[in-house]
């Protein structure tokens, strides 16, 4: 089947098998390898991307479900060499170590920064609960998300 979608703001057309996962389309067909495959069951969050502005686990979405829609991957977040404020917060807070979970964490954090109603620590922890990190202990990640929320609100 043929699908058309926007990926990181650019129109994309692809001939796919109906059972192809979105993460496979991104990684293997489009060469966008920032979304990682960690579990294939939606448990780890390493494959998180935005679909029409909301964070989704791309290992649980068929590529056909993205037909006519907009996908944002980690590769589309920075503005050239300038990191997005959330990416910069992850860097400043050392909210990464091995880096495997980082793209999914950043994509989830971007969603939280835009949509979190109560930007307190409990809400941030709850929002990140679908993403696993084996290295950082989460404290720096929570702090980076809080920094991103403050930056969005104009507080630095």
């Amino acid at each position: 089947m043929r699908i058309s979608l926007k990926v990181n703001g650019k129109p994309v057309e692809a001939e796919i098998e109906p059972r192809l996962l979105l993460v496979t389309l991104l990684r293997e067909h489009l060469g966008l390898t920032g979304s990682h495959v960690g579990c294939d069951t939606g448990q780890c969050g390493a494959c998180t991307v935005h679909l029409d502005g909301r964070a989704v686990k791309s290992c649980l979405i068929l590529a056909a479900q993205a037909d006519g829609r907009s996908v944002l991957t980690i590769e589309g977040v920075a503005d050239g060499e300038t990191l997005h404020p959330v990416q910069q917060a992850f860097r400043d807070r050392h909210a990464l170590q091995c880096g495997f979970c980082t793209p999914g964490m950043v994509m989830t954090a971007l969603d939280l920064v835009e949509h979190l109603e109560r930007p307190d620590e409990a809400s941030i922890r709850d929002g990140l609960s679908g993403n696993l990190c084996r290295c950082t202990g989460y404290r720096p990640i929570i702090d980076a998300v809080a920094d991103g929320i403050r930056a969005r609100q104009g507080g630095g």
Side-chain angles (χ1 to χ4, degrees):
M1 74 181 291
R2 188 152 203 68
I3 62 169
S4 299
L5 61 152
K6 280 193 176 181
V7 178
N8 298 330
K10 297 176 184 168
V12 171
E13 289 194 11
E15 189 72 32
I16 63 163
E17 292 289 325
R19 65 176 188 248
L20 186 74
L21 294 172
L22 180 57
V23 71
T24 307
L25 173 70
L26 296 171
R27 291 181 57 80
E28 296 178 17
H29 295 252
L30 303 179
L32 299 170
T33 58
S35 302
H36 296 145
V37 178
C39 67
D40 277 329
T41 62
Q43 300 296 311
C44 74
C47 67
T48 302
V49 299
H50 288 195
L51 184 61
D52 292 336
R54 292 307 303 240
V56 298
K57 294 174 181 175
S58 61
C59 75
L60 298 179
I61 304 286
L62 294 172
Q65 291 175 278
D67 188 28
R69 300 174 78 182
S70 179
V71 176
L72 177 67
T73 70
I74 193 68
E75 290 90 348
V77 173
D79 182 11
E81 295 295 314
T82 304
L83 295 177
H84 183 282
V86 170
Q87 290 174 305
Q88 188 63 50
F90 268 68
R91 182 178 182 180
D92 294 345
R93 291 288 190 160
H94 307 287
L96 53 103
Q97 285 182 13
C98 81
F100 188 82
C101 74
T102 304
M105 284 285 189
V106 168
M107 297 308 290
T108 299
L110 289 168
D111 189 70
L112 292 174
V113 165
E114 290 303 316
H115 300 106
L116 193 61
E117 292 180 26
R118 294 182 347 215
D120 56 77
E121 183 171 328
S123 297
I124 293 170
R125 283 182 179 277
D126 185 56
L128 292 172
S129 65
N131 293 70
L132 300 177
C133 175
R134 295 176 184 237
C135 301
T136 67
Y138 295 95
R139 178 82 262 154
I141 295 170
I142 293 164
D143 293 341
V145 174
D147 288 353
I149 291 169
R150 281 192 291 279
R152 183 197 76 213
Q153 295 172 339

